[in-house]
Amino acid sequence: KQEVTQIPAALSVPEGENLVLNCSFTDSAIYNLQWFRQDPGKGLTSLLLIQSSQREQTSGRLNASLDKSSGRSTLYIAASQPGDSATYLCAVRVDTDKLIFGTGTRLQVFP
Amino acid sequence: DTAVSQTPKYLVTQMGNDKSIKCEQNLGHDTMYWYKQDSKKFLKIMFSYNNKELIINETVPNRFSPKSPDKAHLNLHINSLELGDSAVYFCASSLPRGYEQYFGPGTRLTVT
């Protein structure tokens, strides 16, 4: 049974820091991995999608890497800003388009 | 332009009632989903439909019945609501097989 864990559960950093969020999954048989952002009381915004054959994806200040064999993904956020404060979720796609979500990392970036 | 929309945004109701949540997507996607986010913020898939056909039913009680009148809509009907049904319900859509899933804003259901 696939389980997805995110570490740390919560993170508070000053503005300008580079930071790394971690996601690990127990079964390497995934089709892809997607990183989302969720603001309080809001829906999920897709940030990056990495296919199982890819090693990384970049979008602006965000870079996500995938090591399928070791069951790990990291989301790197460069030069963090207060507007980055949110909960970050990773999810792996297994068969039949099902996403299995991680437990989330709650990020606070203070000025 | 709203990609995935849900109504209502908030729903407060009493135990035993029947309620529906509507979802519509204007992305031209073939696959739609319902997810439940519990009080601990954990998100779990409930149902998936592809072109109006049920693909995934994650052992959800049969009080929950999804209905897809066409591939742009996936509604969720809940009978005999229980306290434990209180959660945020998210609708999502995607192209099939490995594309990004796009989520709606969520419906916060509170059962009293």
Side-chain angles (χ1 to χ4, degrees):
Chain A
K1 180 188 169 190
Q2 178 75 267
E3 291 184 2
V4 183
T5 307
Q6 291 183 245
I7 295 173
L11 186 59
S12 184
V13 299
E15 183 176 8
E17 275 205 8
N18 301 325
L19 49 97
V20 175
L21 308 183
N22 296 293
C23 172
S24 60
F25 45 96
T26 54
D27 186 346
S28 61
I30 65 168
Y31 288 85
N32 60 42
L33 184 144
Q34 199 167 348
W35 281 95
F36 294 89
R37 165 189 175 134
Q38 185 175 26
D39 293 282
K42 305 275 185 178
L44 279 70
T45 302
S46 179
L47 298 173
L48 289 163
L49 172 73
I50 313 178
Q51 299 292 352
S52 62
S53 57
Q54 296 175 320
R55 299 285 294 184
E56 64 179 306
Q57 283 286 336
T58 298
S59 175
R61 294 182 295 108
L62 305 180
N63 175 277
S65 67
L66 174 64
D67 184 344
K68 203 173 83 151
S69 59
S70 67
R72 289 187 207 163
S73 176
T74 60
L75 179 67
Y76 176 82
I77 303 176
S80 57
Q81 303 170 357
D84 295 329
S85 299
T87 296
Y88 290 80
L89 296 161
C90 70
V92 296
R93 186 175 90 78
V94 297
D95 59 85
T96 60
D97 287 313
K98 183 165 72 174
L99 281 182
I100 308 288
F101 277 86
T103 45
T105 294
R106 193 170 67 252
L107 172 65
Q108 184 179 12
V109 181
F110 52 90
Chain B
D1 281 347
T2 304
V4 183
S5 60
Q6 294 178 230
T7 52
K9 189 168 171 62
Y10 300 98
L11 187 51
V12 181
T13 188
Q14 292 185 328
M15 282 175 57
N17 285 348
D18 303 338
K19 290 293 177 186
S20 292
I21 306 172
K22 294 185 177 180
C23 177
E24 177 181 1
Q25 54 94 5
N26 63 5
L27 297 166
H29 290 164
D30 293 316
T31 309
M32 295 185 73
Y33 314 81
W34 278 109
Y35 288 85
K36 179 180 179 179
Q37 188 171 42
D38 61 25
S39 56
K40 294 181 181 174
K41 307 294 184 189
F42 188 65
L43 259 163
K44 190 172 178 186
I45 189 161
M46 299 173 68
F47 299 103
S48 159
Y49 268 72
N50 182 265
N51 241 334
K52 304 194 297 172
E53 258 191 68
L54 179 66
I55 303 298
I56 298 172
N57 180 342
E58 281 290 299
T59 60
V60 177
N62 57 17
R63 298 183 295 105
F64 290 78
S65 52
K67 286 193 172 43
S68 182
D70 55 60
K71 72 176 196 177
H73 296 84
L74 181 62
N75 304 323
L76 184 64
H77 188 76
I78 316 171
N79 289 328
S80 304
L81 278 155
E82 301 178 356
L83 292 176
D85 298 332
S86 295
V88 182
Y89 292 84
F90 287 99
C91 176
S93 74
S94 74
L95 291 170
R97 300 282 164 205
Y99 287 85
E100 279 179 279
Q101 292 191 17
Y102 292 85
F103 281 70
T107 295
R108 181 174 295 275
L109 171 66
T110 303
V111 182
T112 61

